[in-house]
Amino acid sequence: MKSWDERIDEVWAEASGEEVGDDTIARIDALAAERGSDDARAEFERAGARDSAGRPAEAVALYRRALELGLDEEHRPQCVIQLASSLRNLGRYDEALEVITAEEERSADSPYRDAVATVHALVLASGGKPATGLSVALLALVAHLPRYHRSMTAYAHEIADLDT
């Protein structure tokens, strides 16, 4: 018999490339029910299904619940990233910035640091600070460049000043 994680992954794989709808939500909810409403991972998956279906308002409460219940270090940063993205989609930029900047500090050495920076940049751009958002994105890219770290870092800081 397949594990719970394998069955969750299977639902997401089948939904890949198509619009997520009520069927995917129902399948995720059924799997989540196996673990109960006090299971952080189950709540995270329920949130993700609603988020993917274009229901960010429903997802936000579930993401927050999952974080309160306590996710492991693999899923916690994913949850924070998705929560901040949902808040951005709802136009709640200040909340999204609060969530994502806290995660940026917490996960400076995490494999998710570039994803965190990407969402941070999107939130800033959507919230009316596109130059600052570009600066955040550029600073995240600097570490991946073979050269030009000093100059690109200086340019990124210079660009951020355009929003002030």
Side-chain angles (χ1 to χ4, degrees):
M1 181 171 181
K2 293 180 182 176
S3 73
W4 189 85
D5 286 328
E6 289 171 330
R7 292 182 290 146
I8 285 286
D9 289 346
E10 190 173 88
V11 172
W12 286 118
E14 290 173 12
S16 179
E18 65 183 56
E19 193 170 311
V20 171
D22 291 337
D23 179 59
T24 301
I25 292 173
R27 291 177 66 197
I28 293 290
D29 283 354
L31 288 168
E34 293 177 15
R35 294 177 75 152
S37 62
D38 287 336
D39 184 272
R41 178 72 190 287
E43 294 298 278
F44 168 64
E45 295 296 343
R46 291 181 64 230
R50 283 151 179 82
D51 199 0
S52 295
R55 300 178 189 174
E58 294 174 31
V60 165
L62 292 166
Y63 285 138
R64 289 195 189 280
R65 173 108 170 106
L67 289 168
E68 287 171 14
L69 291 169
L71 288 161
D72 61 39
E73 283 305 305
E74 173 65 20
H75 295 96
R76 188 198 51 72
Q78 293 176 47
C79 187
V80 172
I81 290 164
Q82 291 168 218
L83 169 60
S85 179
S86 290
L87 290 167
R88 181 190 76 85
N89 288 334
L90 293 168
R92 293 161 56 182
Y93 307 121
D94 290 341
E95 285 178 75
L97 277 174
E98 183 179 313
V99 166
I100 205 67
T101 55
E103 184 62 25
E104 202 165 42
E105 291 172 16
R106 181 175 182 165
S107 65
D109 296 324
S110 162
Y112 291 98
R113 72 181 169 270
D114 292 337
V116 169
T118 301
V119 172
H120 187 183
L122 285 170
V123 171
L124 287 165
S126 297
K129 295 187 175 184
T132 307
L134 176 58
S135 174
V136 168
L138 289 172
L139 289 170
L141 287 171
V142 165
H144 304 285
L145 299 175
R147 300 182 61 158
Y148 315 110
H149 295 166
R150 186 184 54 75
S151 60
M152 291 302 149
T153 298
Y155 294 148
H157 288 294
E158 182 181 303
I159 287 170
D161 291 340
L162 296 175
D163 280 338
T164 58

